[in-house]
Amino acid sequence: MDLTALRTENPDHWNKAAAIRALTLDAVAGANSGHSGMPIGMADVATVLFEKHMKFDVNAPKWADRDRFILSAGHGSMLIYSLLYLMGDAQVTHDQIKNFRQSGALTAGHPENFLLDAVEVTTGPLGQGISNAVGFAMAEEMLRAQYGRKIVDHNTYVIAGDGCLMEGISQEAIGLAGRHQLGKLIVFWDNNNITIDGTVDLSDRTNQVQRFKASGWHVQEIDGHNPAEIDAAIEAAKKTKKPSMIACKTHIALGHAAQDTSKGHGALTDAEQMAAAKAAYGWTAAPYEVPADIKAQWEAIGSRGAEARAEWEARFAEISSQKQDRFNRAFALEAPKKLSATVKALKKQVSEEKPSVATRKASEMALAAINPIMPETVGGSADLTGSNNTKTGDLGIFDTDNRKGRYVYWGIREHGMAAAMNGMALHGGIRPYGGTFFCFTDYARPAMRLAALSKLPTVFVMTHDSIGVGEDGPTHQPVEHLAICRATPNTYTFRPADAVETAEAWEIALTSKETPSVIALTRQNLPTLRTEHKLSNLTEKGAYVLAEAESKRQVILLATGSEVSVAMDAKDKLEAQGIGTRVVSVPCMELFLAQDEAYRRKVLPAGPVRVGIEAAVRDGGWDRLLMGERGQEKKAGFVGMAGFGASAPAGELFEKFGITADNTVATVKDLLG
Amino acid sequence: MDLTALRTENPDHWNKAAAIRALTLDAVAGANSGHSGMPIGMADVATVLFEKHMKFDVNAPKWADRDRFILSAGHGSMLIYSLLYLMGDAQVTHDQIKNFRQSGALTAGHPENFLLDAVEVTTGPLGQGISNAVGFAMAEEMLRAQYGRKIVDHNTYVIAGDGCLMEGISQEAIGLAGRHQLGKLIVFWDNNNITIDGTVDLSDRTNQVQRFKASGWHVQEIDGHNPAEIDAAIEAAKKTKKPSMIACKTHIALGHAAQDTSKGHGALTDAEQMAAAKAAYGWTAAPYEVPADIKAQWEAIGSRGAEARAEWEARFAEISSQKQDRFNRAFALEAPKKLSATVKALKKQVSEEKPSVATRKASEMALAAINPIMPETVGGSADLTGSNNTKTGDLGIFDTDNRKGRYVYWGIREHGMAAAMNGMALHGGIRPYGGTFFCFTDYARPAMRLAALSKLPTVFVMTHDSIGVGEDGPTHQPVEHLAICRATPNTYTFRPADAVETAEAWEIALTSKETPSVIALTRQNLPTLRTEHKLSNLTEKGAYVLAEAESKRQVILLATGSEVSVAMDAKDKLEAQGIGTRVVSVPCMELFLAQDEAYRRKVLPAGPVRVGIEAAVRDGGWDRLLMGERGQEKKAGFVGMAGFGASAPAGELFEKFGITADNTVATVKDLLG
């Protein structure tokens, strides 16, 4: 392709974009891995966006009212790193560009929000960024409704590739954005017609323009290398009240021998071809170098937003100190002071009243107490509101005519819900929680992993947590999902045993700053076991002694959730036979394993036979509790599930699969020999 | 709603449909749970479909050339059960209807393919059925191309609800079906505008007609209660060469007090309201009873296909016996006799040549040997063909002009690929395998669980199986995914250590009849460890002694995949210090745990310190191997990952995270004290 026309028509623009292209080529070649083609192809769009539109101050990357930029096509990470380096970001130094993808570098293979302040989102798994963006845009609408346009008024920009649009989650995001008319969401589709396996039409011939329009989007089609068209399209997108998709016809790896080919998607490291591409760009600087005038232009872009930020700060100083505190507290993820007392009061009430309720109902009780004092919570459900018990009376429904609404009807979109909740958490100012059936953790799983990796305190309310589901049968009965959540690093998996533990779990989840929580809750009623009110949050220890042995201690029963009452029944039966039995409730295995050895040994002293009880597969981390880190315990057993469930009334299923006090007693006696 | 007009206009049709409605009301009320509204709403469509169009013989539910009927909205299971009972299915007796959702009944809460022969697919998790259907329709195209229209020529019919269309996976399915112009796929959309949380527009306002058209579908809009319109629409759909979507405007729970409401979605059990609904239907029979004349009409429909089946059998008898054998063998999931010898020959060659190759490359070597002798295999990749090494030269590319192609470019659609592969396996005659990065198991997860639950031998080729991914970083580095696969019941999780174990894993995967396989493969090269050719498939035992201790046995190192060579290096270092070390390779933990105790004890005798090595979290079932079922082993350690990975060259990451021979030696010596 002859780039002469492009170069000469608008040299100022061209050179700024060429800087991105040259840095991308150099850094990918230096790392000998990475993705050259996408940053090269989208350099023009990114240049116009940052030069003319992004409300952004490179010296204050966490300014709350900045425009957000999300690289959904995260493999093109050199696009972000180039931009940040060129604009003078304090973290993305020249050395960081040279150390792209190397050990310890902030310029990781994919952009990581926990490494760089200016990276809004960890991206890479395709389709996530565009779905996170829906949450960003919802959060912006909600906060704008709460604080006014002078304090919150920013756009969310996304670059998405063909891969993002082929992933199913993108349809969930598109549907949500269209339904809620998220007018400040602007998506650039990098329409380069290339995937790794070949041209897009090898696997897809969807008319994306029609597809977005079908969901109520404003759509434009432009030449993604024409700065004037790009600029005009962004202007138009900012004006419409619909979410916008700008289809940018681009050439992947523009100007390189690999342009418009699958090869162009990956690492372009051939020295001669790189030299030829740079020549085509009119780029004569040494590798990794940027001429001073071009760098200066970019730095001016980087600080272009400083004035707007100062004005914003002045406006912020004018709102009531109460509002300022609330805003700052929510963005800092500080819980309100009243939370602790509120949870304690609820625990006291429950301990006294001893209700027999499903923990999903107990969760609703906790939310009913907490939501009124935590205006930053936003609840929702993937079309199971009445089953997940996630809606409390004060929240209001988020809608086009009620942006203050704090409850979202997510529809049958577990994955989109989870990703959008992550987006809300990443945006800041919001603490999202959302529900579905625990079995459908499966659908939300890619976003749940990213919550953990990205250090987001998203809360996943997962009801119907075992064969207790009953008649709906094995498609709806989780058996391996506790194991899945526990195996995932940086995730709290709570399975509370009663309404007291449920309240405690919520307190931890809503004070967490860097760890997502899964709260697994029953469909069926459970007795209150914590009948003696304790001020301290016992769930915080992960496991604790719920009932001490009366006779000489020979057995420790460990259980979670609905099986803690099974353990208590088994204890009664064992004690009646003179077998002293301690019951340990384990509402959160991860928190228990994080306690010091002294505490762990106090709860699980050496000697007694240990039996775990959980209506799930044993793989979920049980063996280490039962046998000790080094296998020092001699006798251990497990009462749980060995395979999938079945369709029948719940009570019959617990009998059928032997998750009963009688079977626990038999298991203990077999071990005692 | 006044049903008089509907009843009087076409009483024959009406009464047949009313039988479905009445049985649904009775069975759900009897179970006191279930979903009444959907079968009632779609009874007219189902009646016309079965009466006029379905090629089906109730007495031969496994006839290979039958039309397939898939209830993607699986919660409406009473629709299937009613149809089967009415038509005289041998399994769905009157008692089964009365025992709907009860323990041991074949009429489970959701339809289960492993309980009833006439149920094509286990459905319930929304969006799966419509995506399975894409695989059914592809399988039909492939087999028709191979065997001719006289032997294979049938339609795939789907009933999908709003939930199915909101789930993201539906977009992947719609895109695939449109791309491949699967003209024999006909989807009825139960357009009742109701979800559990309320009307559909609470959460979605997508124009589904435009959306399907955007992906190249033929779309019709009809009144779903008008039998003539239904009939005409099916006729038109059968004629078009595009996949068809028939948007059926229906009333959920038609004629019941809960019609057109969310309540109508669930269990309608109020006796008075049931009576009123039956009166509106003109239905006077006792509960669970069907008047003899109506039952007789339905039974005639059930056996309507007997003649066509007899004619098909005659045609089948005319094709060559070789073709018959191949057809029958593939449908019976019998591997060709040559498979065993082919794998042995490959193993011998590898043992002699001792290549240093990535196991993903070794997998390609195995496929290159096997694909030519197993014409029933169909390969593919979710846009990572060159990385997953799933394509071998002889396959050809499946496309609109090459239906004989056995390789599918699935696009960036891991979930849709997995569900469509399940559909191919369910259709029969095909053994599907497909690849992506192991980390993106997350995206495919809901379909992978259904493969396990539905007992399908789908093969998931998961490359880039650890931090060995290197620079792409933690979004692309699985650490918990082995644990996830191992925690899932009825799933073989293979992690072969070299090219020999890889060939063995493929042999097991391709002879499995009821268990899906995950084959986790490295990006990076590994040495050949099985340098002594053994005829028997050692991977079949799950774990085996790869190298015996030379000095007195004090240690057993257990490892999988790329860490087996780490174990071998550690053994060398330990033996040099006089510490006798056995190395046990564990290519498939599930198969090892299924061996008898004698074998397990032979491989893992009591006494020596045990240390596991795997570049993944310990939760993946390790503790039981390290400590024994009952915790009888005293000293155990683990060398692996404690959290997410990082972006850096792979070799540096193994050092950084301590997955090295030196760290293994240190761990052993610490345990030996």
Side-chain angles (χ1 to χ4, degrees):
Chain A
M1 188 167 183
D2 184 6
L3 303 182
T4 319
L6 289 173
R7 277 169 55 187
T8 50
E9 203 162 303
N10 191 338
D12 259 16
H13 164 82
W14 177 263
N15 287 331
K16 283 197 286 286
I20 296 172
R21 296 183 166 114
L23 286 172
T24 295
L25 283 171
D26 292 338
V28 171
N32 200 27
S33 78
H35 300 81
S36 314
M38 186 275 180
I40 291 174
M42 284 299 280
D44 296 305
V45 169
T47 299
V48 174
L49 173 65
F50 275 80
E51 180 176 5
K52 303 262 174 78
H53 297 279
M54 275 290 287
K55 183 167 75 171
F56 174 74
D57 179 354
V58 76
N59 293 309
K62 290 299 175 200
W63 170 27
D65 197 35
R66 69 193 179 279
D67 284 346
R68 266 65 169 181
F69 173 69
I70 298 170
L71 188 69
S72 192
H75 52 277
S77 56
M78 269 310 298
L79 182 67
I80 287 193
Y81 302 146
S82 300
L83 286 165
L84 292 174
Y85 164 67
L86 288 165
M87 292 191 293
D89 180 89
Q91 289 180 294
V92 183
T93 61
H94 206 196
D95 274 355
Q96 288 291 341
I97 298 292
K98 289 180 178 168
N99 282 309
F100 177 54
R101 293 183 151 237
Q102 302 311 302
S103 192
L106 302 176
T107 46
H110 290 80
E112 311 285 10
N113 69 310
F114 50 88
L115 293 179
L116 288 172
D117 288 344
V119 166
E120 302 286 355
V121 192
T122 291
T123 50
L126 295 176
Q128 296 293 326
I130 188 173
S131 309
N132 299 144
V134 169
F136 274 84
M138 281 179 152
E140 196 267 351
E141 293 282 358
M142 289 169 177
L143 295 174
R144 183 150 37 84
Q146 288 176 35
Y147 292 94
R149 190 174 295 275
K150 289 184 176 175
I151 303 303
V152 180
D153 187 14
H154 52 265
N155 291 299
T156 300
Y157 294 101
V158 178
I159 291 181
D162 295 300
C164 293
L165 300 194
M166 261 197 257
E167 291 288 359
I169 188 175
S170 65
Q171 184 64 26
E172 304 185 22
I174 292 166
L176 282 166
R179 166 62 185 82
H180 288 293
Q181 292 291 286
L182 302 175
K184 305 197 73 140
L185 173 62
I186 298 172
V187 174
F188 302 96
W189 168 34
D190 179 13
N191 177 15
N192 60 35
N193 196 33
I194 291 297
T195 73
I196 291 175
D197 277 354
T199 54
V200 168
D201 65 3
L202 272 185
S203 53
D204 194 40
R205 289 182 183 162
T206 294
N207 181 323
Q208 298 292 356
V209 170
Q210 277 183 33
R211 177 188 171 206
F212 276 79
K213 281 185 178 167
S215 288
W217 284 57
H218 176 263
V219 184
Q220 302 171 76
E221 294 180 86
I222 64 166
D223 173 355
H225 300 301
N226 182 321
E229 283 190 31
I230 298 165
D231 185 35
I234 299 174
E235 273 304 330
K238 283 156 81 173
K239 278 180 191 141
T240 175
K241 290 184 175 170
K242 297 178 176 182
S244 265
M245 193 275 263
I246 304 174
C248 307
K249 191 82 209 79
T250 61
H251 297 281
I252 198 167
L254 180 81
H256 187 280
Q259 179 185 311
D260 299 328
T261 69
S262 287
K263 193 175 173 304
H265 171 89
L268 303 175
T269 57
D270 180 272
E272 271 184 47
Q273 291 180 348
M274 277 174 62
K278 286 185 181 177
Y281 302 155
W283 191 262
T284 56
Y288 294 108
E289 295 304 319
V290 177
D293 59 329
I294 298 173
K295 184 74 165 71
Q297 287 177 47
W298 268 115
E299 286 176 4
I301 293 171
S303 54
R304 190 173 51 81
E307 201 178 324
R309 178 170 65 91
E311 288 165 10
W312 180 87
E313 279 166 1
R315 290 197 300 277
F316 188 75
E318 280 166 21
I319 65 173
S320 72
S321 66
Q322 196 190 6
K323 270 196 163 179
Q324 287 184 29
D325 287 350
R326 178 152 65 86
F327 187 94
N328 290 330
R329 185 181 60 66
F331 271 83
L333 291 170
E334 298 290 351
K337 291 204 184 77
K338 266 193 279 189
L339 177 63
S340 171
T342 302
V343 171
K344 284 187 178 76
L346 175 63
K347 283 168 58 180
K348 184 158 188 290
Q349 181 197 335
V350 169
S351 295
E352 287 166 5
E353 295 178 1
K354 306 175 187 50
S356 172
V357 292
T359 47
R360 63 182 168 129
K361 179 69 189 167
S363 170
E364 185 183 340
M365 291 158 59
L367 288 169
I370 294 167
N371 277 333
I373 63 157
M374 280 189 90
E376 65 268 39
T377 58
V378 168
S381 164
D383 198 45
L384 290 167
T385 294
S387 298
N388 298 147
N389 298 68
T390 34
K391 185 161 161 285
T392 61
D394 59 315
L395 292 179
I397 306 300
F398 178 76
D399 208 334
T400 47
D401 59 359
N402 185 27
R403 298 307 204 189
K404 284 190 177 169
R406 289 165 56 199
Y407 193 81
V408 182
Y409 286 123
W410 292 107
I412 300 105
R413 301 185 182 101
E414 302 80 9
H415 198 182
M417 171 178 77
M421 288 202 294
N422 287 347
M424 289 178 174
L426 285 158
H427 178 280
I430 301 278
R431 269 195 185 269
Y433 69 85
T436 183
F437 287 159
F438 192 32
C439 218
F440 302 144
T441 301
D442 287 350
Y443 281 81
R445 163 86 200 142
M448 292 174 75
R449 182 179 207 253
L450 278 167
L453 178 59
S454 309
K455 303 185 180 173
L456 308 177
T458 315
V459 183
F460 303 96
V461 182
M462 299 302 198
T463 70
H464 298 60
D465 71 348
S466 75
I467 50 169
V469 162
E471 293 89 342
D472 271 348
T475 52
H476 286 53
Q477 290 164 354
V479 296
E480 70 273 43
H481 300 82
L482 289 165
I484 290 172
C485 295
R486 290 181 186 142
T488 307
N490 190 39
T491 300
Y492 295 141
T493 310
F494 294 105
R495 191 163 187 253
D498 70 359
V500 174
E501 284 190 1
T502 304
E504 291 179 339
W506 269 110
E507 183 178 20
I508 300 164
L510 293 177
T511 50
S512 168
K513 292 189 175 186
E514 296 200 334
T515 302
S517 297
V518 176
I519 310 185
L521 301 165
T522 65
R523 176 192 184 207
Q524 70 275 26
N525 286 345
L526 300 178
T528 298
L529 300 172
R530 289 272 294 280
T531 51
E532 189 188 329
H533 178 52
K534 292 249 163 72
L535 284 173
S536 61
N537 185 324
L538 299 183
T539 298
E540 219 161 47
K541 297 282 190 187
Y544 62 91
V545 179
L546 176 67
E548 191 46 284
E550 292 150 42
S551 332
K552 177 171 175 287
R553 188 168 63 214
Q554 298 180 58
V555 180
I556 303 177
L557 299 179
L558 302 92
T560 77
S562 47
E563 284 68 71
V564 181
S565 49
V566 174
M568 293 295 281
D569 289 350
K571 170 189 163 67
D572 287 347
K573 291 176 187 239
L574 288 164
E575 298 276 2
Q577 298 176 46
I579 301 170
T581 303
R582 167 183 282 193
V583 173
V584 171
S585 181
V586 192
C588 183
M589 228 179 252
E590 297 90 347
L591 284 170
F592 181 64
L593 291 171
Q595 302 306 310
D596 62 25
E597 204 186 330
Y599 179 77
R600 283 185 282 136
R601 217 180 308 163
K602 209 176 101 185
V603 175
L604 297 178
V609 160
R610 297 182 188 176
V611 172
I613 318 171
E614 185 170 81
V617 298
R618 182 169 172 164
D619 277 13
W622 274 104
D623 287 303
R624 221 163 323 150
L625 286 202
L626 297 177
M627 310 189 217
E629 281 291 311
R630 289 186 160 197
Q632 66 272 29
E633 298 310 318
K634 283 204 158 172
K635 292 200 164 177
F638 183 69
V639 173
M641 297 292 290
F644 293 111
S647 170
E652 292 178 33
L653 292 176
F654 281 94
E655 289 291 331
K656 176 187 171 84
F657 292 109
I659 301 171
T660 60
D662 284 342
N663 192 34
T664 305
V665 168
T667 303
V668 166
K669 294 182 78 171
D670 182 41
L671 285 166
L672 288 175
Chain B
M1 188 168 183
D2 184 6
L3 303 182
T4 318
L6 289 173
R7 279 168 55 187
T8 51
E9 203 161 302
N10 191 337
D12 260 14
H13 164 83
W14 177 264
N15 287 330
K16 283 198 285 287
I20 296 172
R21 294 182 167 117
L23 286 172
T24 296
L25 284 171
D26 291 337
V28 171
N32 200 30
S33 79
H35 300 80
S36 314
M38 187 277 182
I40 292 174
M42 285 297 280
D44 296 305
V45 170
T47 298
V48 175
L49 173 64
F50 275 81
E51 180 175 7
K52 304 262 176 76
H53 298 279
M54 275 288 289
K55 183 167 74 171
F56 174 75
D57 178 355
V58 75
N59 293 309
K62 290 300 175 199
W63 170 28
D65 198 35
R66 70 194 178 277
D67 286 345
R68 268 61 169 183
F69 173 69
I70 298 170
L71 188 68
S72 192
H75 52 277
S77 56
M78 269 309 298
L79 182 66
I80 289 192
Y81 302 145
S82 299
L83 286 165
L84 292 175
Y85 164 68
L86 287 165
M87 293 191 293
D89 179 88
Q91 289 180 293
V92 184
T93 60
H94 206 196
D95 274 355
Q96 288 291 340
I97 298 293
K98 290 182 179 166
N99 281 309
F100 178 52
R101 293 181 150 237
Q102 302 311 301
S103 193
L106 303 176
T107 45
H110 289 81
E112 312 283 11
N113 70 309
F114 50 88
L115 293 180
L116 287 172
D117 288 343
V119 165
E120 303 285 355
V121 192
T122 290
T123 50
L126 296 175
Q128 296 293 326
I130 188 173
S131 309
N132 300 143
V134 169
F136 274 84
M138 282 179 151
E140 196 268 351
E141 293 282 358
M142 290 170 176
L143 295 173
R144 182 150 38 87
Q146 288 176 36
Y147 292 93
R149 190 174 295 275
K150 289 184 175 176
I151 303 302
V152 179
D153 187 14
H154 52 265
N155 292 298
T156 301
Y157 293 101
V158 178
I159 291 182
D162 296 299
C164 293
L165 300 194
M166 263 197 255
E167 292 287 0
I169 189 175
S170 66
Q171 185 63 27
E172 304 185 24
I174 292 166
L176 282 165
R179 166 61 185 84
H180 289 292
Q181 291 291 286
L182 302 174
K184 306 196 73 143
L185 173 61
I186 298 172
V187 174
F188 302 95
W189 168 36
D190 178 15
N191 178 16
N192 60 36
N193 196 35
I194 291 296
T195 73
I196 291 174
D197 276 354
T199 54
V200 168
D201 66 4
L202 272 184
S203 53
D204 194 39
R205 289 183 184 161
T206 295
N207 182 323
Q208 298 291 356
V209 170
Q210 276 183 33
R211 178 187 171 206
F212 276 78
K213 281 185 178 168
S215 287
W217 284 57
H218 175 264
V219 184
Q220 303 173 76
E221 295 180 86
I222 64 165
D223 173 355
H225 300 300
N226 182 320
E229 284 191 31
I230 298 164
D231 185 35
I234 299 173
E235 273 304 331
K238 282 157 80 173
K239 279 181 189 142
T240 176
K241 290 185 175 169
K242 297 179 177 183
S244 266
M245 192 275 264
I246 304 174
C248 307
K249 192 81 211 77
T250 60
H251 296 281
I252 197 167
L254 179 81
H256 187 279
Q259 178 185 312
D260 299 328
T261 69
S262 287
K263 193 174 174 303
H265 171 90
L268 303 175
T269 56
D270 181 273
E272 270 183 46
Q273 291 180 348
M274 279 174 61
K278 287 186 181 177
Y281 303 154
W283 190 261
T284 55
Y288 295 107
E289 295 303 321
V290 177
D293 58 329
I294 299 174
K295 184 75 166 70
Q297 287 176 46
W298 269 114
E299 286 175 7
I301 293 171
S303 54
R304 190 173 51 82
E307 198 177 326
R309 178 169 67 91
E311 287 165 11
W312 180 87
E313 278 166 4
R315 291 197 300 276
F316 187 77
E318 281 166 21
I319 65 173
S320 73
S321 67
Q322 197 190 3
K323 271 197 163 181
Q324 287 183 28
D325 287 349
R326 179 152 65 83
F327 188 94
N328 289 330
R329 185 182 60 67
F331 271 83
L333 291 169
E334 299 290 351
K337 289 205 185 75
K338 266 194 278 188
L339 177 64
S340 172
T342 302
V343 171
K344 284 188 178 76
L346 175 63
K347 282 168 57 178
K348 184 159 188 288
Q349 181 197 335
V350 169
S351 296
E352 285 166 6
E353 295 177 1
K354 306 174 188 48
S356 172
V357 292
T359 46
R360 62 182 170 131
K361 179 70 190 166
S363 169
E364 185 183 341
M365 291 158 59
L367 288 169
I370 295 167
N371 276 334
I373 63 157
M374 281 187 89
E376 65 267 39
T377 58
V378 168
S381 164
D383 198 45
L384 290 167
T385 293
S387 298
N388 298 147
N389 298 68
T390 34
K391 186 162 160 285
T392 62
D394 58 313
L395 292 179
I397 307 299
F398 178 76
D399 208 334
T400 48
D401 58 0
N402 186 27
R403 297 308 205 189
K404 284 191 178 170
R406 288 166 55 199
Y407 192 81
V408 182
Y409 287 122
W410 291 106
I412 299 105
R413 302 185 181 101
E414 301 82 7
H415 198 181
M417 171 178 78
M421 289 201 295
N422 287 348
M424 288 177 175
L426 285 158
H427 178 279
I430 301 278
R431 270 197 185 267
Y433 69 84
T436 184
F437 288 159
F438 192 31
C439 219
F440 302 143
T441 302
D442 287 351
Y443 282 83
R445 164 83 200 144
M448 292 172 74
R449 181 180 209 254
L450 277 167
L453 176 60
S454 310
K455 303 185 180 174
L456 308 177
T458 314
V459 183
F460 303 96
V461 183
M462 297 303 196
T463 72
H464 297 61
D465 72 347
S466 75
I467 51 169
V469 162
E471 293 89 342
D472 271 348
T475 50
H476 286 54
Q477 290 164 355
V479 296
E480 71 273 42
H481 300 80
L482 288 166
I484 290 173
C485 296
R486 290 181 186 141
T488 307
N490 190 39
T491 301
Y492 294 141
T493 310
F494 294 105
R495 192 163 186 252
D498 70 359
V500 175
E501 282 191 2
T502 305
E504 292 179 339
W506 269 111
E507 184 177 19
I508 300 164
L510 293 177
T511 50
S512 167
K513 293 189 173 186
E514 295 201 333
T515 302
S517 296
V518 175
I519 310 186
L521 300 165
T522 65
R523 176 192 184 207
Q524 71 275 25
N525 286 346
L526 300 179
T528 298
L529 300 172
R530 288 272 295 280
T531 51
E532 189 190 330
H533 177 53
K534 293 249 165 70
L535 283 173
S536 61
N537 185 323
L538 298 183
T539 298
E540 219 161 48
K541 297 283 190 187
Y544 61 91
V545 179
L546 176 66
E548 191 46 283
E550 292 151 43
S551 333
K552 178 174 173 285
R553 188 170 62 215
Q554 299 179 58
V555 180
I556 302 176
L557 299 178
L558 301 92
T560 76
S562 47
E563 283 69 70
V564 179
S565 49
V566 174
M568 293 296 280
D569 290 350
K571 169 188 163 69
D572 288 346
K573 291 178 187 236
L574 288 164
E575 299 276 2
Q577 298 176 46
I579 301 170
T581 303
R582 168 183 281 192
V583 173
V584 171
S585 181
V586 191
C588 183
M589 227 178 253
E590 296 91 346
L591 283 171
F592 181 65
L593 291 172
Q595 302 305 312
D596 62 26
E597 204 186 331
Y599 179 77
R600 283 185 281 137
R601 218 182 306 166
K602 208 176 100 187
V603 176
L604 297 178
V609 161
R610 296 180 189 178
V611 172
I613 319 173
E614 185 168 80
V617 298
R618 181 169 174 166
D619 277 13
W622 275 104
D623 287 303
R624 221 162 324 151
L625 286 202
L626 297 176
M627 309 189 217
E629 281 290 311
R630 287 187 163 195
Q632 66 273 29
E633 297 312 316
K634 282 205 159 172
K635 292 199 163 180
F638 183 70
V639 173
M641 298 292 291
F644 293 112
S647 169
E652 293 178 33
L653 291 177
F654 281 94
E655 289 291 332
K656 177 186 170 85
F657 292 109
I659 300 170
T660 61
D662 285 342
N663 192 35
T664 304
V665 169
T667 303
V668 165
K669 293 182 76 171
D670 182 43
L671 285 167
L672 288 175

